[in-house]
């Protein structure tokens, strides 16, 4: 399968990366100066890290063709590439696509099997279709997630890098697979599309659906005033936080308090029943805070397996993971999907091919691309 990745930065190219993990031949089109995302890994005013980690993650397995789509010769090469392609992925602004004439209505005639995968900030139509956006604006802020996650009486918090882009990439990947399945059944390709806003709304859809059905948003409360002390975050003596999730309280509350050495709480009238625990949740949280602060996280992990607390379903608490320390290997992060086919049918993700240098098309099977590259005298640049 041949995929032409005519996209930049994270979300849309990420869908092409997922396809490449399953063996697709991905040709990444970049402007002559290169995708700006190549250079985003080096913090301004600081020494660049050893590995271009951003480019490694989103561009592994791909081959690069430096192509200027602003000139007729460049568009001619794109047309010839698409004649043998199965999927075309782009996140170029809709205005740019109309100006260059590379929209679905321009490229689909004569290519009935082509899957045209479009990625935008705010969708394909409507008053905001031509607006630009990023995951921190369209996905995180506009969807309501930013407001939903801010602490009570606190300011909105920013998203981490790629927090909306990477889930949106998986959604675009799924849309492409749906298009390919449709083509398998009917012989016809077509357009599939995902937007950052649509991805954010889907991520926040439980709260949105509640509001659509007339259920108001739950009021925010401080951690120490939560309604359920058994579903909360707690800090240990080594300053490491963990997330405790005990949903089946009727079965697990007694093993929980036994595990932390407070068996007396199971018979305390304030906490013996679920309704009482809800009414006195602040007091129970204070007790848990004091108890968990007495030992480090390793102690509490081991506590779950003590005979006094052991049941068929022991209490669960999970460390709030910190960013792992970097390693010098430069290995790439696995995709969220894992090939289940034979090793010969798809490359192993642990042996993924490295990201390409700019214009490094290697054995690209396109005479048109080779002839244009010679005529334009393009010199491949080394990866930064």
């Amino acid at each position: 399968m041949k995929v032409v990745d005519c996209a930049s930065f994270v979300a849309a190219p990420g869908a092409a990366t997922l396809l490449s993990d399953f063996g697709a031949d991905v040709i990444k089109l970049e402007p002559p100066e290169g995708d700006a995302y190549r250079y985003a890994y080096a913090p301004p005013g600081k020494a660049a890290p050893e590995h271009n980690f951003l480019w490694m993650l989103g561009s592994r397995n791909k081959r690069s063709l430096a192509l200027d789509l602003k000139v007729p010769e460049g568009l001619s090469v794109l047309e010839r590439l698409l004649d043998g392609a199965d999927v075309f992925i782009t996140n170029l602004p809709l205005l740019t696509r109309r100006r260059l004439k590379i929209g679905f209505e321009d490229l689909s005639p004569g290519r009935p099997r082509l899957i045209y995968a479009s990625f935008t900030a705010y969708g394909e139509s409507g008053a905001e279709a031509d607006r630009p956006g990023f995951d921190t604006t369209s996905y995180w802020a506009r969807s309501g997630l930013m407001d939903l996650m801010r602490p009570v009486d606190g300011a909105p918090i920013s998203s981490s890098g790629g927090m909306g882009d990477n889930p949106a990439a998986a959604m675009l990947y799924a849309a492409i697979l749906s298009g390919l399945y449709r083509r398998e059944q009917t012989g016809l390709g077509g357009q599939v599309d995902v937007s950052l806003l649509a991805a954010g709304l889907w991520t926040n859809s439980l709260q949105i659906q509640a509001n659509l059905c007339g259920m108001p948003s739950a009021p925010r409360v401080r951690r120490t005033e939560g309604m359920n002390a058994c579903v909360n975050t707690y800090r240990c003596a080594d300053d490491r936080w963990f997330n405790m999730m005990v949903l089946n309280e009727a079965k697990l509350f007694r093993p929980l308090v036994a595990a932390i050495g407070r068996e007396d709480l199971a018979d305390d009238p304030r906490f013996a029943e679920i309704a009482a625990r809800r009414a006195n949740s602040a007091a129970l949280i204070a007790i848990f805070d004091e108890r968990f602060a007495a030992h480090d996280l390793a102690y509490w992990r081991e506590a779950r397996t003590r005979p006094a607390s052991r049941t068929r379903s022991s209490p669960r608490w999970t460390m709030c993971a910190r960013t792992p320390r970097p390693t010098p290997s430069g290995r790439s992060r696995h995709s969220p999907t894992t090939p289940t086919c034979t090793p010969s049918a798809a490359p192993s993700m642990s042996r993924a091919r490295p990201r390409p240098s700019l214009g490094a098309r290697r054995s690209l099977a396109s005479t048109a691309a080779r002839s244009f590259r010679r005529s334009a005298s393009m010199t491949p640049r080394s990866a930064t």
Side-chain angles (χ1 to χ4, degrees), residues 63-250:
R63 296 184 287 162
S64 170
L65 180 64
L67 197 61
D68 188 356
L69 294 178
K70 298 177 183 178
V71 299
E73 295 87 351
L75 289 173
S76 176
V77 172
L78 174 61
E79 293 269 357
R80 299 185 198 186
L81 283 173
L82 292 179
D83 286 342
D86 298 281
V87 180
F88 177 70
I89 301 175
T90 185
N91 65 348
L92 290 175
L94 296 179
L95 286 171
T96 301
R97 296 185 218 176
R98 290 194 287 269
R99 185 175 70 251
L100 296 178
K101 298 189 183 305
I102 59 169
F104 174 70
E105 64 282 358
D106 303 302
L107 300 179
S108 60
R111 302 181 183 90
R113 292 178 57 80
L114 179 68
I115 305 297
Y116 186 104
S118 173
F119 192 84
T120 61
Y122 293 103
E124 303 289 317
S125 61
E128 298 181 303
D130 293 328
R131 289 187 59 191
F134 293 90
D135 67 340
T136 190
T137 57
S138 307
Y139 177 99
W140 179 240
R142 189 68 181 278
S143 69
L145 287 167
M146 174 183 277
D147 183 67
L148 190 65
M149 293 294 102
R150 69 178 173 86
V152 60
D153 301 329
I157 56 176
S158 298
S159 60
S160 62
M163 194 167 77
D165 282 326
N166 288 322
M171 295 180 194
L172 184 60
Y173 165 74
I176 292 170
L177 293 187
S178 297
L180 289 169
Y181 179 76
R182 175 180 181 270
R183 189 180 76 172
E184 183 73 17
Q185 300 297 310
T186 67
L188 297 175
Q191 177 171 331
V192 297
D193 59 83
V194 172
S195 72
L196 283 168
L197 179 59
L201 293 175
W202 178 251
T203 304
N204 197 22
S205 57
L206 293 181
Q207 188 60 58
I208 292 171
Q209 187 65 54
N211 279 263
L212 289 173
C213 293
M215 181 176 179
S217 300
R220 291 186 184 85
V221 296
R222 296 178 178 85
R223 187 195 67 83
T224 55
E225 301 170 354
M227 290 295 297
N228 188 351
C230 296
V231 179
N232 207 343
T233 54
Y234 294 96
R235 182 161 56 184
C236 304
D238 54 355
D239 200 30
R240 300 182 79 179
W241 289 82
F242 68 89
N243 188 33
M244 185 166 71
M245 179 68 64
V246 181
L247 292 181
N248 189 355
E249 294 180 58

Side-chain angles (χ1 to χ4, degrees), residues 77 80 361 366-377:
V77 172
R80 299 185 198 186
R361 50 179 182 77
S366 171
T367 303
R370 286 196 293 270
S371 63
F372 172 66
R373 190 167 177 274
R374 285 195 299 269
S375 65
S377 299

